[in-house]
Each structure stands twice: as C-alpha cells, then as structure tokens.
C-alpha cells in the first residue's frame, strides 16, 4: 500500500461523515482512455471565431464548426463540406453543391441558407472575405444543397479563401446563429463539426470540453490538416487552461494531462528526459518574429533610419533570446515569407545577411537626420516572445546611438497604444514587437503585416506602392510560377522600404504522453486521428 | 447586538460604492482596450472601433458608470465583455474553488499555527521556541510560488502522492476535493501559519505573565489546562484579529496559488480580467472582495464578544 492510498483512506474516513460516502477512488481506465486532456496555448475566453479572431478560438472552433473547404498539408484547398463546385468560363460565377447527409449538432440538416448566412458574416470580417464582398454581385441559395456566388469580376483565390486556416476561417453555422451581427458575439455554439461544445461544462479561463458528435460523417479521404476524413477516436476532449508553464510541465509528467500544445523552450529538456513523453516540433510553419516601426513619424518615417536598424540587427540575438540555445528551433530569415513553403523567397534579402555593420548603420542613421530624439519602444512584458525581442532591440538601438524610451507594459496596453496615430511624444509610439504565425505568411492573402497601403495598412502604416503592386500581381497570378515571381519582387520591395523588421523564423515544440497516438504537425492542433490508450 | 450588526452591514454600502467608483475610474484612466484584445492581433483599427462601439465602450465615462450603478442597484453585475456570460454566474462558478482553498488553508493554519505559538510561548527561550520561530521566519520569507513549486516537485512529481493541479468540487467526493487542495493550502498557508504562530506566541507570553496564571499554577492546575483553558482564551483577541486580517492575505495569495496549481478560482479570474480589461468582471470581483473584507471585520468584532465577555456593543 503506498502513501497516497493511505492518505485517501484517512481522508475518506474523515470525509465519510461529511459527505455521506466516498466517491469512486478513480475513473475506470476505459473512461480515462476515452478522454483526451489537452493544455492549449492560451485561454479560451470567448467562443465566436468570427467575432474574436485569436488563434486559440480558431483552434477550438475547428472542432465544432466545419468549413466548405480545408487547407491540407501541401497548402492546397480541398473539398470538405462541399461535394462539387463549378466556375463559369469567365471565372465570375461559382456554384457550389454541399455533401449529402451533413447535420448540425442539434439534428437539423445543413442547408444552403445556413452557408449563405455564414459566408456573409465571415465576409464582413475576414480580409479575403472583404475582397470577395467588394466584388460580389450576389450570394444566393439555389436549392437546399446548392448555392451560387456571382462576382463582378473573377477572384482566382476563391477556394483558397474558403479553405485557409488563418483567422477568421469561414466556419459554417446554422442560419439563426450566423445572422448575428459580425461585431457581436454569438451565444449558441451549434456546429456541424466532428465534436460538440459542452457549454454547460465551460469554465472560461479554466476548462472547455468537447464531445464526439456521433452523427458526423467524415470524408473518405485520409485526414490532412483541415481537409479529409476527420475521424474522432476519443469520446471527449478536455481543454485544461494552465497559465503557469511549470505546472503544465508537471501535470504532463505525472499524467494529469495528455498533450501540451506549446511547452516553453526552457522546460523542453525536462520533458525530453521523461521516458513517458514525446516531444516534437508542433507547427512546421513556425512563427516569424517582428518589430514594427512607425512610418508616420521621425525617426522611422525616413527609410534610411529603418534601413539602418535592419543593417545592424542580428537575427541570431533575437532568436536565442526567444528560444534559447536549441539551434533546431530557429533559422535566419532574410525575407518575409515562411521558409520551406512554395513561395519562400530571399530576393533582396542581403541587408539581413552576413556580418552586421554598425558603422555603416550609424552613418545611414545620421544621414536620415536623426537628432537624438527619444524612440518610444513598446514592449509587452506579459508575453515572453515580445519581452525577449524588446530587450534585444533596446540594446541594439543603444548601440546605434539612439535614445531609447523603453515602455515596458502589458499586451492590453501595447495593443491599444499601437493604434494611436499621434506622434510618439503625444501618446503614440515609434516601434513595437510582435510575431506572426508562419501559416499566415505563406502567401500575401492572409498576410496583413506585409501590406503597405498607408492608412489602410497594419499598425505602423507603411506606404509603399511597390509592395502593393506586387501584392496585386500575386492575386492576379495565373500559375505558381507567376506567383513565385510576384512574391520574389514583393520580398525585395518590402525589404527596400522596410515594411517591418523580421527578427527570424522560430519553431516551437509540442509534447504529449506516449500513450497518445496520431498527433500530426500543423499550424493548429488537429484532434482527428488522435487516440489514447489506457 | 443584532442592531449593531445591521448598522454595520448598512454602513458597508457607502464603502463599497466608493471602492467601486475608485476602481471604475482607475480602470478607465489606465491604458489598454478590451476591444483590441478581442479583435486579435491582425485586426484593423476599423474592426477595433466597431467592436468598441458594439460593447458600448465608446460612450462617455459618466454614462458608462451611471449605467453600471443603475444595473447594480437592480442586482445585475453586468455581462462579461469577453465571455458574454453574466458576471454573477462567472463569479459563482469561481467562488467554490477559492472558498475551498481558503477554508482548507484557514483550518490548516488554526490547527498548526495556534498550537505552535502556544508551545513556543510555553517553552520561551528554549531550543523548541527558537526552532518554531525560525520556521516562522522561514515560512514568512518564502514566496508562495516558490513553496508551491517545491511542494509540487516533491509530493506530486517525485513521490506521486498528490496531484499537481486542478480542482474537484466537494459534490464529487471528499477525497477528490481535498487531494487537489492539500498542496495549494500548504503553499498558501506557510506565510499565514508563520504570522499566526508569532502573534499567538507574543499574546500568550503576555498572558502567561499575569497574576491569575500564577494563581492557577499555585492551585496545582496542569500545564495543558493553564495553557489552553486559561491563557489561550485570554490571548484570543489579538489571535482572532490576525486570523481575520489574514483573510485579506489569503485573497491576495490565492491569485498566485491558483495560477501555480491551476485552480479555477476567483484569483485567476481577477488576473485574467485585469489583463484583458474586462471591466464588468473586475468591478464585480472588487465589489465582492470589498464586501468580504467588511464582513470579515464584522465577524472579528462579533467574535471579540464571544472570547471576551467584557466587550459589548
């Protein structure tokens, strides 16, 4: 008899009088094996994948809501809820037919009217959806399983837009839910995906539970990322939110949880030593570290100042600050696009390569007219990745002879302050740090941060006609070769104008107990095909 | 006494209102915007503004505050900006774990700290006394999270006696409930035990010098009777006070403890709400905590009359 049994016995004896009896001492092994306990990267604080676009919401939503198309591991859109599609010769009218037998979790069939309402809500929030909406002539129901999207001119990336995995995805909801204002949160979580959301068990900030949807009919193809047959092999998936990484590591080690989505680099060596735990790269598309400079105000309204910073920055310093000394976790990135993806380019990347030239950078900075004014550098201390980058940048700028106004604060504050278009001395800013999911940087479509359309651009508001021209060229490209050429030119133009400063490409691990099988690498955790033995 | 209690409860209302106004103002002065957090990192400023409008955050401060007060007066704590759930329901959901943690910690403290303090006073100047006081200094000096990690490493990872994290409601069984609380209660209780043990020792030392204790000894009363019947009762007022005040420490410590042991309590809810600028949730929690403080003070005052019949209101 071990000590824990004795403790249980003692506590049981004491508690018997209070509770009238003891609960079962342990879950039956079979039941435990049918419940997969997962520690997500962040807290699931809300659950509307259109209203709130955080990755964690998208990841949970992919269990509950299905999409018409799904992106696969080769980054190609594949049919998912759709049985077939037709496009007219002029490329302007798309007619889609749904698979038969699709059902929502409340037992109602999935109909075209649900799809039309869902796409309308999605298109009001998603950048690609907005582009389609701008071209839209009509989006109409043809019959219960058929709907038609008529455009004023062709949109060649239509299927990619409906399949893409970056937030917000075009999840299909029942019409009554999808009619909710896209800027208001839904409260009904009925989908047609492979799992149902157990709303009654939801403790926002602590726990979210998903149950297998018995009536889900997976496609016959092998699952590949968001495409193919989404076979759920467990009865329940429990998301256990753990704000403390050390606790998550300990819980994984002693089997209280089965899968930890994003272990921090510092704790990975401990996990690797445990014979019951597997550790591997989670998302091969990784992340791109970045800091944005404010193109509206001095000193970074002058391209020479921006280029001076780029000439001096060492991506290795940034990457080691983020992921430590594990060289398998990062690589230099002389460009903006995700390495090892079809459109990756290093064209024009010389400024980020080779020995860092501080003398030349200082000279260029002086030519830009920099006169020692404070450089307001926003750093979110509550996010380790931004904090690490901020520290490196502060050091870099000081070495360049810049006067750094280091504003260490929380992400909520950075998030609101970066939207200020006032000068740095009046509540604005000169630079802030962030990172972009590699999945969002595989091509220009989901890549908000690469856009340089002035006032409409992302924070920092770069204005570069050269960059925008190549973005348009990519959208208009007829084949992969044209796409590659456009992205090469885009990479060069974005580096010349320094749309933002890439600090390197980094990966992160995922870790799971060895009694869990079927975990695949991807830009989000895929639960289909994952099984657990006792 | 009853009218005194009623008067005290009524007197809490303006205190809570002032605290609420202060917190409400502070949050709006502080930088940060919930709409930004909701919209996500890739959102455009226009998206953020639309969300802000839909949440009513673009309205003037006084209108928002007035709206909030009006709802409070109607028993409505509002709706969370993030979860779209009623704040009262969210608090109710998180109250059980925090109350459980505080109860177990409080019981543990009383059971451990009071006897330690009594024994230290009894053996004042001895090795036992010095050992107990050294333990108290040690307990006081260690941050909760350090104790937490140490306990988790030893008792959960190495010995595998107890779980590392989580919370099970009492309704699902006494042991499942208790086993999740033992380590956090010890971690949280360390500071508290040290504080109560030191105060108990000091109070007991003072009482043990009194004439009536000498008389009791002269009458041949046993040491146990002297310590726990005569002395402890007369030393109880400061001990009760520090136990009561310590509840404030528990609430503060619960924030860290709940994070370290992944307990879904009010402490974590508070931190999450502050980081996200979820104003209605923060305001609801602050109101609750204010009420708890006032109530604890009231209970302390009432307890005085029980341990010392000379005190009357």
């Amino acid at each position: 008899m071990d000590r824990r049994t004795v403790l249980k016995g003692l506590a049981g004896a004491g508690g018997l009088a209070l509770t009238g009896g003891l609960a079962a001492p342990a879950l039956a092994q079979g039941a435990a094996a049918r419940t997969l306990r997962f520690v997500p990267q962040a807290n699931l604080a809300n659950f509307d994948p259109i209203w709130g676009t955080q990755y964690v919401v998208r990841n949970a939503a992919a269990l509950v809501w299905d999409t018409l198309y799904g992106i696969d591991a080769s980054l190609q859109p594949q049919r998912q809820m759709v049985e077939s599609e037709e496009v007219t010769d002029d490329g302007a009218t798309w007619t889609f037919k749904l698979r038969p037998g699709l059902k929502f979790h409340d037992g109602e069939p999935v109909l075209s009217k649900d799809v039309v309402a869902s796409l309308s809500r999605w298109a009001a929030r998603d950048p690609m959806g907005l582009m389609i909406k701008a071209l839209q002539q009509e989006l109409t129901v043809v019959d219960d399983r058929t709907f038609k999207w008529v455009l004023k001119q062709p949109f060649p990336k239509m299927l990619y837009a409906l399949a893409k995995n970056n937030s917000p995805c075009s999840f299909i909801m029942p019409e009554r839910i999808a009619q909710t204002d896209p800027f208001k949160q839904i409260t009904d979580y009925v989908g047609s995906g492979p799992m149902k959301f157990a709303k009654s068990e939801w403790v926002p900030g602590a726990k979210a539970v998903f149950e297998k949807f018995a009536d889900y009919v997976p496609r016959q193809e092998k699952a590949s990322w968001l495409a193919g047959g989404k076979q759920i092999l467990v009865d329940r998936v429990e998301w256990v939110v753990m704000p403390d990484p050390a606790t998550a590591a300990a819980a994984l080690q002693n089997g209280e949880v089965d899968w930890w989505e994003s272990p921090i680099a510092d704790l990975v060596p401990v996990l690797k030593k445990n014979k019951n735990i597997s550790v591997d790269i989670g998302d091969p598309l990784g992340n791109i570290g970045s800091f944005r400079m404010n193109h509206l105000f001095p000193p970074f309204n002058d391209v020479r100042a921006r280029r001076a910073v780029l000439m001096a920055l060492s991506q290795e310093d940034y990457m080691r600050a983020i992921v430590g000394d594990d060289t398998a976790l990062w690589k230099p990135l002389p460009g903006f696009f995700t390495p090892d993806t079809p459109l990756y380019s290093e064209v024009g990347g010389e400024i980020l390569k080779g020995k860092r030239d501080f003398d030349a950078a200082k000279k260029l900075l002086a030519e830009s007219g920099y006169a020692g004014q404070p450089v307001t550098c926003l750093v979110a201390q509550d996010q380790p990745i931004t904090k690490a980058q901020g520290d490196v940048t502060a050091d870099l700028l000081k070495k360049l002879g810049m006067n750094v106004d280091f504003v260490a604060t929380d992400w909520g504050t950075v998030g609101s302050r970066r939207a200020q278009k006032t000068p740095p001395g009046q509540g604005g800013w000169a630079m802030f740090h962030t990172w972009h999911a590699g999945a969002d940087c595989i091509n220009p479509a989901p890549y908000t941060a690469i856009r340089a359309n002035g006032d409409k651009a992302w924070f920092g508001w770069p204005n570069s006609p050269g960059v925008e021209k190549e973005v348009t060229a990519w959208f208009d490209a007829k084949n992969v070769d044209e796409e590659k050429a456009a992205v090469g030119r885009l990479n060069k133009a974005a580096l010349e104008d320094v749309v933002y400063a890439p600090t390197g490409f980094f990966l992160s691990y995922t870790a799971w107990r060895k009694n869990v099988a079927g975990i695949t690498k991807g830009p989000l955790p895929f639960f289909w095909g994952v099984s657990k033995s006792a | 006494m009853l009218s005194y209690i009623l008067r005290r409860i009524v007197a809490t209302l303006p205190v809570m209102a002032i605290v609420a106004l202060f917190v409400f103002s502070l949050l709006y002065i502080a930088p940060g915007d919930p709409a930004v957090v909701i919209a996500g990192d890739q959102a455009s400023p226009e998206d953020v503004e639309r969300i802000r409008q839909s949440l009513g955050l673009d309205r003037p401060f006084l209108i928002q505050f007035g709206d909030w007060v009006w709802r409070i007066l109607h028993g409505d704590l509002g709706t969370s900006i993030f979860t779209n759930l009623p704040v009262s329901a969210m608090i109710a959901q998180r109250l059980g774990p925090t109350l459980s943690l505080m109860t177990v910690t409080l019981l543990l403290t009383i059971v451990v700290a009071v006897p330690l303090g009594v024994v230290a006073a009894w053996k004042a100047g001895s090795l036992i006394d010095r050992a107990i006081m050294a333990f108290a200094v040690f307990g006081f000096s260690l941050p909760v999270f350090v104790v937490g990690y140490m306990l988790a490493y030893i008792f959960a990872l190495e010995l595998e006696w107890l779980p590392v994290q989580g919370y099970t409601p009492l309704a699902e069984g006494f042991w499942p409930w208790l086993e999740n609380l033992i380590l956090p209660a010890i971690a949280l209780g360390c500071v508290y035990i040290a504080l109560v043990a030191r105060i108990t020792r000091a109070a007991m030392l003072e009482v043990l010098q009194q004439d009536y204790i000498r008389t009791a000894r002269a009458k041949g009363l046993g040491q146990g009777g002297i310590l726990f019947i005569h002395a402890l009762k007369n030393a109880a007022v400061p001990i009760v006070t520090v136990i009561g005040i310590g509840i404030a420490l528990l609430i503060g410590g619960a924030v860290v403890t709940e994070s370290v042991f992944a307990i879904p309590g009010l402490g974590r809810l508070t931190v999450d709400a502050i980081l996200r600028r979820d104003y209605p949730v923060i305001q609801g929690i602050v109101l609750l905590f204010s009420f708890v403080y006032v109530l604890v003070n009231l209970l302390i005052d009432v307890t005085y009359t029980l341990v010392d019949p000379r005190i009357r209101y």
Side-chain angles (χ1 to χ4, degrees):
Chain A
M1 180 180 284
D2 63 15
R3 184 62 175 270
R4 192 165 179 178
T5 313
V6 175
L7 282 173
K8 278 186 188 179
L10 289 173
L16 209 56
L18 288 172
T19 61
L22 279 174
L27 286 170
Q29 282 197 336
R34 290 194 299 270
T35 299
L36 184 73
R37 291 158 304 180
F38 171 77
V39 182
Q41 54 171 272
N43 166 23
L44 183 69
N46 67 75
F47 200 28
D48 181 342
I50 304 298
W51 177 80
T53 56
Q54 299 96 326
Y55 291 131
V56 69
V57 179
R58 183 267 321 258
N59 297 353
L63 279 168
V64 175
W65 290 284
D66 218 340
T67 46
L68 297 174
Y69 293 81
I71 201 90
D72 68 9
S74 59
L75 306 175
Q76 294 303 310
Q78 303 294 346
R79 292 172 188 151
Q80 189 51 235
M81 294 173 80
V82 155
E83 182 183 73
S84 62
E85 73 283 313
E86 282 176 22
V87 59
T88 50
D89 290 342
D90 64 0
T93 300
W94 290 83
T95 305
F96 300 90
K97 188 163 191 181
L98 295 171
R99 274 201 287 151
L102 296 174
K103 267 188 192 172
F104 285 116
H105 300 153
D106 58 5
E108 293 296 315
V110 178
L111 303 175
S112 297
K113 62 177 181 150
D114 303 306
V115 176
V116 166
S118 298
L119 292 179
S120 300
R121 187 167 188 256
W122 164 78
R125 293 296 303 273
D126 179 72
M128 286 191 87
L130 286 164
M131 292 172 81
I132 299 172
K133 200 176 164 191
L135 302 175
Q136 180 178 311
Q137 199 160 306
E138 59 173 1
L139 173 60
T140 51
V141 171
V142 175
D143 60 39
D144 278 354
R145 283 178 52 206
T146 314
F147 65 97
K148 194 164 65 173
W149 215 335
V150 184
L151 309 178
K152 292 170 195 157
Q153 65 184 70
F155 186 76
K157 310 293 189 229
M158 171 66 88
L159 299 188
Y160 180 79
L162 297 177
K164 70 185 178 60
N165 62 276
N166 73 301
S167 294
C169 299
S170 54
F171 294 116
I172 303 303
M173 303 174 174
E175 183 187 38
R176 69 175 189 282
I177 301 172
Q179 282 172 339
T180 307
D181 181 333
F183 289 90
K184 288 196 172 148
Q185 198 180 154
I186 61 168
T187 52
D188 190 349
Y189 309 112
V190 170
S192 67
M195 299 203 89
K196 297 185 288 185
F197 183 57
K199 188 182 176 184
S200 62
E201 295 188 60
W202 186 28
V203 183
K207 185 178 168 188
V209 176
F210 307 88
E211 293 167 338
K212 185 175 179 174
F213 177 39
D215 286 343
Y216 183 76
V217 183
R219 295 188 71 90
Q220 294 307 303
E221 303 92 334
K222 190 170 179 284
S224 175
W225 287 12
L226 288 169
K230 298 176 181 174
Q231 302 270 3
I232 298 294
L233 305 176
V234 292
D235 290 344
R236 279 165 67 91
V237 174
E238 290 182 1
W239 284 29
V240 187
V241 179
M242 289 199 198
D244 190 307
T247 309
L252 185 68
Q253 287 177 83
N254 72 353
E256 287 174 46
V257 295
D258 305 304
W259 181 7
W260 182 13
E261 184 182 0
S262 304
I264 61 169
D266 291 350
L267 292 170
V268 164
V270 178
L271 299 177
K272 280 183 171 173
K273 279 183 194 163
N274 191 309
K275 63 180 178 4
N276 296 315
I277 294 173
S278 297
V279 180
D280 201 353
I281 299 298
D283 175 9
L285 298 180
N287 302 278
I288 293 174
S290 91
F291 61 85
R292 309 272 304 185
M293 290 174 271
N294 193 333
H295 291 231
L296 299 184
F297 301 103
F300 298 127
N301 62 340
D302 190 309
V303 70
R304 289 170 294 184
R306 300 196 298 271
R307 288 181 69 81
V309 174
L310 225 55
M311 286 165 76
L313 79 82
S314 158
Q315 290 188 332
E316 180 169 356
D317 289 350
Y318 281 96
M319 291 299 101
R320 287 191 186 277
I322 293 173
V323 297
D325 292 330
D326 188 344
T327 51
L329 284 182
W330 70 273
K331 58 174 80 175
L333 181 65
F336 297 92
F337 290 88
T338 308
D340 304 321
T341 58
L343 301 182
Y344 175 71
S345 171
E346 295 187 8
V347 177
E350 291 72 25
I351 193 167
L352 286 165
K353 292 178 180 173
K355 193 172 178 293
R356 307 289 74 203
D357 191 344
F358 272 86
D359 291 337
K362 281 180 183 174
K363 191 166 167 257
L364 194 59
L365 186 63
E367 286 171 16
S368 77
Y370 177 68
Q373 63 265 52
V375 177
T376 307
C377 177
L378 305 181
V379 179
Q381 302 235 80
D382 54 340
Q383 298 204 349
I385 293 172
T386 59
K387 168 71 168 60
Q389 293 189 102
D391 290 341
V392 176
T393 298
D395 184 52
L396 168 72
L397 298 187
K398 281 175 191 164
K399 283 179 182 165
L400 277 173
M402 299 185 95
N403 177 11
V404 183
D405 173 21
F406 193 78
V407 181
T409 180
D410 67 322
W411 180 249
T413 302
V414 172
S416 64
R417 190 163 171 184
R418 70 181 180 179
Q420 300 291 328
K421 284 187 176 174
T422 50
Q426 297 169 30
W429 54 279
M431 61 199 309
F432 76 91
H433 299 78
T434 187
W435 73 96
H436 308 291
D440 291 353
C441 308
I442 55 172
N443 64 47
Y447 204 163
T448 315
I450 199 76
R451 300 300 298 271
N453 44 353
D455 271 357
K456 289 182 182 171
W458 208 55
F459 310 102
W461 307 284
N463 189 351
S464 170
V467 167
E468 285 302 296
K469 183 181 154 209
E470 301 309 338
V471 169
T472 306
W474 178 82
F475 270 103
D476 293 339
K478 304 283 186 304
N479 54 51
V480 175
D481 288 339
E482 284 185 22
E483 288 191 10
K484 280 183 179 171
V487 164
R489 295 191 302 270
L490 170 57
N491 198 63
K492 186 168 185 285
L495 279 166
E496 278 171 0
D497 280 339
V498 196
V499 170
Y500 74 84
T503 59
F505 173 78
F506 61 96
L507 297 155
S508 56
Y509 286 112
T510 191
W512 64 94
R513 303 277 302 176
K514 282 188 174 161
N515 61 336
V516 174
I519 290 175
T520 53
K521 294 180 183 185
L524 57 147
F526 299 114
F527 292 88
W528 28 94
V530 175
S531 62
K532 181 184 165 189
S533 55
Chain B
M1 175 61 82
L2 188 64
S3 69
Y4 170 75
I5 292 172
L6 285 174
R7 269 188 283 122
R8 285 286 298 268
I9 289 176
V10 171
T12 65
L13 298 177
V15 174
M16 288 167 62
I18 291 167
V19 170
L21 175 60
F22 179 70
V23 170
F24 200 89
S25 310
L26 208 62
L27 279 169
Y28 277 84
I29 293 167
D33 186 344
V36 168
V37 184
I38 290 163
D41 199 39
Q42 309 295 320
S44 68
E46 291 74 26
D47 281 352
V48 173
E49 191 50 40
R50 286 284 301 272
I51 290 173
R52 191 178 292 121
Q53 283 171 12
S54 75
L55 296 171
L57 296 171
D58 58 332
R59 297 174 302 162
F61 168 78
L62 282 177
I63 290 178
Q64 289 188 57
F65 182 68
D67 181 43
W68 180 67
V69 171
W70 180 252
R71 278 191 278 106
I72 293 291
L73 292 174
H74 288 79
D76 175 11
L77 287 177
T79 306
S80 161
I81 288 172
F82 280 83
T83 64
N84 212 20
L85 296 171
V87 172
S88 52
M90 289 179 72
I91 290 176
Q93 207 175 30
R94 301 299 193 96
L95 204 54
T98 299
L99 277 182
S100 297
L101 176 60
M102 289 175 69
T103 304
V104 174
T105 307
L106 208 57
L107 288 174
L108 182 75
T109 301
I110 292 167
V111 166
V112 175
V114 174
L116 279 181
V118 169
V119 170
W122 175 36
K123 298 286 184 186
S126 70
L127 192 64
I128 294 175
D129 177 29
R130 285 202 292 272
I132 291 171
M133 285 307 103
F135 168 75
V137 171
F138 189 65
F140 218 90
S141 310
L142 282 176
V144 171
F145 69 91
V146 172
V147 180
Y149 289 142
M150 279 167 43
L151 290 171
Y153 178 74
I154 297 167
F155 293 100
L157 280 182
E158 290 297 313
L159 299 173
E160 297 183 9
W161 290 356
L162 292 161
V164 149
Q165 56 81 41
Y167 171 76
T168 308
L170 185 57
E172 291 181 30
F174 184 74
W175 173 249
W177 172 76
L178 186 64
E179 74 169 348
N180 277 121
L181 295 170
I182 293 174
L183 296 183
I186 295 172
L188 181 55
C190 272
V191 173
Y192 202 32
I193 288 169
L195 179 70
V196 174
R198 287 180 70 90
I199 296 294
T200 304
R201 179 183 180 272
M204 286 290 288
L205 274 179
E206 194 180 328
V207 170
L208 288 172
Q209 311 295 324
Q210 303 291 319
D211 288 345
Y212 65 88
I213 298 292
R214 209 170 294 127
T215 305
R217 282 208 179 98
K219 280 173 28 183
L221 199 64
Q223 195 64 41
I226 291 170
L227 287 174
F228 289 98
I229 297 172
H230 289 274
L232 185 58
K233 192 174 175 187
N234 286 289
V237 168
I239 298 171
V240 166
T241 307
V242 79
I243 288 175
I245 292 169
I247 289 175
L249 284 179
L250 283 184
I251 291 175
V255 173
V256 178
T257 314
E258 286 173 6
S259 290
V260 170
F261 291 96
I263 297 171
L266 278 174
R268 270 177 64 192
L269 181 65
T270 309
V271 174
D272 288 346
I274 290 170
L275 287 175
R276 290 194 306 251
R277 309 293 194 274
D278 197 344
Y279 302 134
V281 175
I282 301 167
Q283 287 146 4
I285 293 171
V286 168
L287 271 188
L288 176 73
F289 283 170
S290 311
F291 185 68
V292 167
Y293 283 131
V294 174
L295 204 64
V296 166
N297 274 313
L298 179 61
L299 284 175
I300 292 169
D301 286 348
V302 172
T303 311
Y304 286 164
T305 66
L306 300 177
V307 297
D308 188 347
R310 290 170 299 178
I311 298 173
R312 284 287 174 266
Y313 298 105

